Amino acid sequence: MTRWALLLEYDGGPFVGWQVQETGPSVQGVLEQAASRLANGAPVPSIVAGRTDAGVHAEGQVAHIDLPDGFQARAVRDALNFHMKPHPVVVLQAATVPDDWSARFSANRRTYRYRILNRRARPALLAGRVWHVPVPLDAAAMHDGAQRLLGRHDFSSFRAAACQAKSPMRTLDRLDVSRDGDIVEIVTEARSFLHHQVRNFAGTLKLVGEGRWTADRVAAALAARNRAAAGPTAPPEGLTLTRVGYPDDPFRN
């Protein structure tokens, strides 16, 4: 068997999330059904770098699967893409990796982008890709508040109640907020994130942008280590997993 790293892009809107569930179609299910076609119908389990929630998108998700020997990278990519039609999931690149390589555990960086459409008119072309906030937002104030969250902290205030992580401690390397026209963009990077952590950042920083919270209150919410102290969870459609980093990037070539 050969282990393959897959660089994936998908629209999370039609799915219940990455993980297979009985309540509806999942990205994992679509990928594994397609991969089974390359393994003479045998089950092909997948491991993913980040299990995205329902409605969350990906431009640079990474998964790995094991397939019978003999395939070329282009054939793996094209065959999987053919069998995943018409679902909005595609393999951008496929690359062989060592047998002990893991899409999840070999990763050392994950980057997410959260986009807010900040105008009165609702989205038409960007529907399902942004959080529509009609109230004017101060992106500079949001960025100032975001900087209070950088570093290694107990992020219990920004952790979903259903989070299964053993520890709320995480090191946040980047949390930037900027504006480009009507789009307010939040970009964050860390080795790993807690469940709903990025969406809870976005919901909290929106309060700062509206002038309802100060940067000091963001710091106080972090220090409280209590989910009730932070802002609401932003909706999933504005969130995209843009990149997963590895010490030795399998897609570099």
Side-chain angles (χ1 to χ4, degrees):
M1 300 290 281
T2 300
R3 178 154 295 185
W4 289 91
L6 307 175
L7 183 63
L8 298 164
E9 175 184 282
Y10 53 82
D11 175 358
F15 299 107
V16 295
W18 168 268
Q19 193 168 5
V20 171
Q21 300 179 45
E22 295 181 356
T23 53
S26 67
V27 183
Q28 181 183 24
V30 169
L31 173 63
E32 292 183 356
Q33 288 172 21
S36 178
R37 302 289 292 272
L38 278 65
N40 297 316
V44 179
S46 63
I47 300 295
V48 72
R51 292 183 295 177
T52 51
D53 290 330
V56 176
H57 315 295
E59 294 176 358
Q61 175 71 280
V62 178
H64 79 251
I65 58 175
D66 295 335
L67 292 174
D69 298 334
F71 288 105
Q72 297 297 314
R74 181 180 297 179
V76 170
R77 180 197 63 196
D78 292 349
L80 289 174
N81 286 340
F82 177 81
H83 291 301
M84 288 192 293
K85 293 178 181 178
H87 301 285
V89 185
V90 295
V91 175
L92 300 175
Q93 293 185 57
T96 57
V97 289
D99 291 345
D100 61 352
W101 187 91
S102 169
R104 179 183 178 189
F105 295 111
S106 298
N108 64 357
R109 184 166 302 277
R110 292 162 174 85
T111 305
Y112 285 89
R113 180 186 68 232
Y114 196 96
R115 301 177 79 196
I116 298 171
L117 179 64
N118 189 212
R119 70 183 190 194
R120 290 295 302 172
R122 60 180 172 81
L125 297 178
L126 293 177
R129 299 288 196 281
V130 293
W131 181 16
H132 178 222
V133 176
V135 178
L137 297 176
D138 183 340
M142 294 170 69
H143 180 76
D144 185 28
Q147 303 318 290
R148 309 299 179 94
L149 299 172
L150 294 177
R152 184 164 181 79
H153 304 287
D154 179 331
F155 281 102
S156 293
S157 296
F158 299 92
R159 177 185 191 180
C163 182
Q164 298 177 356
K166 294 180 180 179
S167 170
M169 299 298 296
R170 291 293 185 273
T171 300
L172 188 65
D173 299 312
R174 179 186 180 189
L175 185 58
D176 293 334
V177 184
S178 61
R179 176 183 284 277
D180 183 5
D182 291 330
I183 297 292
V184 174
E185 186 170 277
I186 302 168
V187 177
T188 186
E189 292 183 358
R191 184 181 185 91
S192 63
F193 290 90
L194 300 167
H195 191 203
H196 285 180
Q197 186 176 355
V198 180
R199 289 168 58 190
N200 291 336
F201 285 163
T204 299
L205 294 174
K206 169 183 172 284
L207 298 177
V208 177
E210 291 173 334
R212 296 163 60 188
W213 277 37
T214 64
D216 287 342
R217 186 165 176 183
V218 175
L222 174 66
R225 293 179 291 181
N226 185 329
R227 179 67 191 95
T233 304
E237 58 265 25
L239 185 60
T240 300
L241 173 59
T242 60
R243 184 177 182 273
V244 181
Y246 297 91
D248 187 9
D249 187 350
F251 308 111
R252 185 175 300 156
N253 297 322

